[in-house]
Amino acid sequence: MKYLLRLEEAALFLFSIWAFLQMGFPFWKFAAFILLPDVGMIGYLVNPRVGAVTYNLAHHKGVAVAVFLAGYFYHSDAALIAGVILFAHSCMDRMFGFGLKYSDSFKNTHLGTL
């Protein structure tokens, strides 16, 4: 099952790249910003509980969709790009086995222990 889930996330990641390109933005922006959501790990400098909240906020697909929809309805290219990047990054992380974090440890994720 684990490999099937990773395959699904890989397909969603490729879909994210396709969607980004369909919006007419240059690919260098995708490449430049794809790792930016990992800034959410900075909360781990405080403690694991705060780190889990900040990490999960930056890696939650629902947040990504909300940001994208805000960009669509408010005609904001920056929010459209941010939404697709957040979604793609979340897919990429899950494709590599990194899931949303529990508050006890960075290594304890909804996909299992790292």
Side-chain angles (χ1 to χ4, degrees), residues 32-88:
F33 297 134
I34 190 64
L35 295 178
L36 195 58
D38 279 336
V39 164
M41 286 191 288
I42 201 159
Y44 281 99
L45 295 175
V46 176
N47 63 45
R49 186 174 160 270
V50 172
V53 169
T54 58
Y55 181 92
N56 291 342
L57 187 63
H59 290 79
H60 195 286
K61 290 181 183 177
V63 171
V65 170
V67 170
F68 179 83
L69 289 174
Y72 178 79
F73 288 116
Y74 292 106
H75 307 287
S76 169
D77 286 350
L80 286 171
I81 290 171
V84 173
I85 293 294
L86 286 168
F87 190 85

Side-chain angles (χ1 to χ4, degrees), residues 4 6 9 12 15 21-22 25-26 37 45 61 64-65 92-94 106 110 112:
L4 184 60
R6 286 185 177 187
E9 295 298 338
L12 288 170
F15 173 76
L21 294 173
Q22 293 304 306
F25 300 120
L45 295 175
K61 290 181 183 177
V65 170
M92 182 181 70
D93 271 9
R94 288 178 179 90
F106 178 80
H110 83 286

